[in-house]
Amino acid sequence: LLLLLGATLLRPGGGSYQHPFYNGFYYNHVMNDKGDGHENAVYFSVAKLMVETPKDPVYSSSGANVTLPCRYHYEPEQESKSKIRIKWSKLRDDYTKEQDVLVAIGKTQVAFGDFKGRASLRQSGRREASLVVSDLRLQDGGKYRCEVIDGLEDESNVVELRLQGVVFPYQPRRGQYQLNFAEAERACREQGAVVASFSQLLQAWREGLDWCSAGWLADGTVHYPIRQPRAHCGGLHLAPGIRSYGQRHRHLHRFDVFCFSSALRGEIFYLERPAGMTLAEGRQACRDAGAEVARVGQLYSAWKFLGLDRCDAGWLADGSVRYPIAKPRANCGPGEPGVRSFGFPTAGRFGVYCYKER
């Protein structure tokens, strides 16, 4: 119908219908929906609704507040004839599904799901539709769609929120390639992290991550990052990069997982005894200090963001023993920074890394 109306409206002047005047809108007389033979005027705007968001990602960190900018205007300029409806949604990595975040009409705003009480619309300027999200969570990172609806006009654009964080590979106590996708999600969550996205893994690779075991990513694909090509990691003939197994069956296939953790809200400290401690004794020592045994993601975050550097092996909450090295030196492992791992000892006495919220 709209195409037919457009063809009618744009006919040369010899046609049967002439515009009474032109002020930025087309007019056409159509029968109303009452069926009484009377005609109503329907207006079609020739102005284009434009929605603008930043091309570059917006960076923030866990626990912080962030504003995702979005503005709209018309070309050529005009005033809206109806109430503007603004909708924000969060996209999956593959764009196949959207999560409702917020809908606003005039001064009325409604946030949904995990964003209730944390998301609001900033309308401090004319034709602004920016989204404010407070108390950021690890799962908030990703792409967001800002959609503006004005009558029949509906335009949108996308802005990406990136949380500053650290990606780390994770294997459970059972060993390599033991996790289906649901188990991988749970493993990261138990370590104070979430499953990493491809863009987060790519950034980690650019920063030096080299790991020759394939792991799940948030979109259900499986990859591993290689900085130094070698025979048993895809072959010497391949250039450095992210090796891909593509989409895998989330229930049947099993791999490791790449987890993502952001900046800490608290502090990590190390406790030791001359004779060392069992894991149970380490847990009690942390409790006595008003803390809890640190998770793997928390240790990686302290290493990455706080420069935690200690050449002392200590228990973590999952039963593994690790230590963080920011400044490589003799007798403290390889020659590059990182979190060293002793695996999951069934016996032995070590110190313990504790975590305490601020």
Side-chain angles (χ1 to χ4, degrees):
L1 176 59
L2 292 177
L3 291 175
L4 292 175
L5 289 173
T8 301
L9 297 172
L10 295 174
R11 283 186 304 185
S16 59
Y17 177 75
Q18 301 293 323
H19 301 306
F21 58 90
Y22 176 74
N23 67 348
F25 290 81
Y26 289 133
Y27 297 79
N28 191 34
H29 291 279
V30 297
M31 301 300 294
N32 66 25
D33 56 7
K34 296 180 181 179
D36 57 8
H38 293 89
E39 295 180 338
N40 289 341
V42 178
Y43 302 88
F44 297 91
S45 172
V46 296
K48 175 67 174 176
L49 176 62
M50 306 294 291
V51 176
E52 298 176 338
T53 56
K55 294 182 180 179
D56 295 329
V58 175
Y59 288 87
S60 191
S61 59
S62 179
N65 300 337
V66 70
T67 297
L68 302 182
C70 180
R71 299 186 64 84
Y72 64 95
H73 67 277
Y74 300 87
E75 294 181 358
E77 185 61 33
Q78 72 168 32
E79 292 299 323
S80 173
K81 298 295 182 180
S82 58
K83 275 192 175 182
I84 298 295
R85 180 172 179 260
I86 296 169
K87 178 181 178 182
W88 278 91
S89 53
K90 188 174 185 292
L91 309 181
R92 277 179 40 163
D93 285 351
D94 56 7
Y95 284 83
T96 59
K97 188 177 181 181
E98 298 188 4
Q99 174 188 0
D100 290 339
V101 175
L102 179 141
V103 172
I105 303 177
K107 295 183 178 180
T108 302
Q109 303 180 23
V110 179
F112 301 94
D114 292 338
F115 292 94
K116 285 183 178 179
R118 297 194 301 126
S120 61
L121 205 63
R122 188 181 77 178
Q123 295 177 303
S124 58
R126 185 169 179 264
R127 293 178 178 172
E128 183 177 22
S130 301
L131 179 70
V132 178
V133 182
S134 61
D135 190 21
L136 282 176
R137 301 171 183 175
L138 288 174
Q139 60 267 30
D140 290 341
K143 295 181 175 67
Y144 290 75
R145 184 190 304 280
C146 174
E147 184 178 6
V148 179
I149 304 164
D150 179 5
L152 297 177
E153 289 286 313
D154 185 346
E155 294 295 334
S156 66
N157 218 326
V158 173
V159 57
E160 183 178 4
L161 171 62
R162 291 186 185 176
L163 297 187
Q164 295 171 323
V166 57
V167 172
F168 61 94
Y170 188 77
Q171 295 177 356
R173 179 185 293 273
R174 302 193 304 273
Q176 186 183 41
Y177 296 166
Q178 296 295 316
L179 303 170
N180 65 25
F181 186 75
E183 291 167 340
E185 287 185 310
R186 184 166 60 252
C188 288
R189 187 166 57 249
E190 289 173 349
Q191 299 314 312
V194 295
V195 180
S197 67
F198 179 82
S199 62
Q200 289 166 344
L201 181 65
L202 179 61
Q203 181 61 34
W205 171 79
R206 288 171 176 162
E207 294 174 357
L209 181 61
D210 183 286
W211 193 256
C212 194
S213 291
W216 290 104
L217 295 182
D219 60 357
T221 59
V222 174
H223 299 75
Y224 61 100
I226 295 298
R227 298 281 298 183
Q228 298 178 343
R230 43 207 187 271
H232 62 286
C233 297
L236 290 169
H237 62 287
L238 293 178
I242 307 293
R243 312 283 193 249
S244 176
Y245 284 22
Q247 200 81 30
R248 301 282 92 183
H249 196 290
R250 297 187 180 212
H251 302 294
L252 300 180
H253 292 153
R254 292 181 177 273
F255 297 94
D256 296 337
V257 62
F258 289 99
C259 302
F260 174 83
S261 182
S262 189
L264 295 173
R265 299 185 187 183
E267 61 175 335
I268 283 186
F269 55 92
Y270 182 78
L271 295 178
E272 60 183 336
R273 292 176 182 171
M277 291 177 276
T278 65
L279 177 57
E281 291 170 339
R283 288 196 177 104
Q284 186 59 53
C286 289
R287 285 195 292 267
D288 292 343
E292 61 182 10
V293 181
R295 303 179 186 185
V296 176
Q298 292 167 340
L299 186 66
Y300 268 93
S301 294
W303 164 75
K304 175 73 178 288
F305 296 104
L306 302 178
L308 185 62
D309 182 283
R310 187 159 190 127
C311 194
D312 297 292
W315 291 107
L316 294 179
D318 65 340
S320 65
V321 173
R322 307 173 193 248
Y323 63 99
I325 296 297
K327 299 176 180 179
R329 52 201 181 273
N331 302 320
C332 291
E336 66 275 350
V339 175
R340 322 291 194 220
S341 175
F342 280 82
F344 296 83
T346 56
R349 303 176 70 85
F350 305 91
V352 63
Y353 287 95
C354 304
Y355 175 74
K356 186 175 184 179
E357 288 278 357
R358 288 194 182 94

